[in-house]
């Protein structure tokens, strides 16, 4: 079992992808960060973060909502 770890997103705007490791997509929030393990796109089935990343061309530093 892995210990919780702190991911530093200091200076990143909310909505910015600050990590894509360990089966999670980590996004900077207003206060802290959110690790997304599963997600569901509109009108699609729920999928794991690694499956989403296989089919999506995003990288650390990209920002949702733009």
């Amino acid at each position: 079992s892995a210990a919780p770890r702190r991911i530093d997103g200091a200076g990143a705007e909310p909505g910015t992808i600050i990590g894509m490791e360990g089966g999670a997509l980590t996004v900077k929030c207003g206060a802290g960060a959110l690790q997304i393990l599963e997600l569901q796109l509109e009108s699609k089935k729920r999928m794991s973060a690694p499956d989403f990343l296989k089919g999506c061309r995003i990288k650390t530093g990209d920002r949702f909502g733009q």
Side-chain angles (χ1 to χ4, degrees):
S1 143
R5 59 189 177 104
R6 186 173 171 92
I7 298 174
D8 184 21
E13 293 287 324
T16 302
I17 298 168
I18 58 173
M20 297 186 297
E21 300 172 348
L25 176 65
T26 307
V27 180
K28 173 71 172 147
C29 296
L34 177 68
Q35 277 196 321
I36 301 170
L37 303 175
E38 292 184 319
L39 59 151
Q40 183 174 359
L41 300 175
E42 187 175 352
S43 302
K44 302 289 183 179
K45 290 184 178 183
R46 181 172 50 181
M47 67 184 85
S48 68
D51 286 343
F52 171 74
L53 292 171
K54 287 177 191 172
C56 187
R57 294 182 181 173
I58 58 174
K59 61 188 181 311
T60 300
D62 286 351
R63 189 168 173 216
F64 289 113
Q66 288 187 327

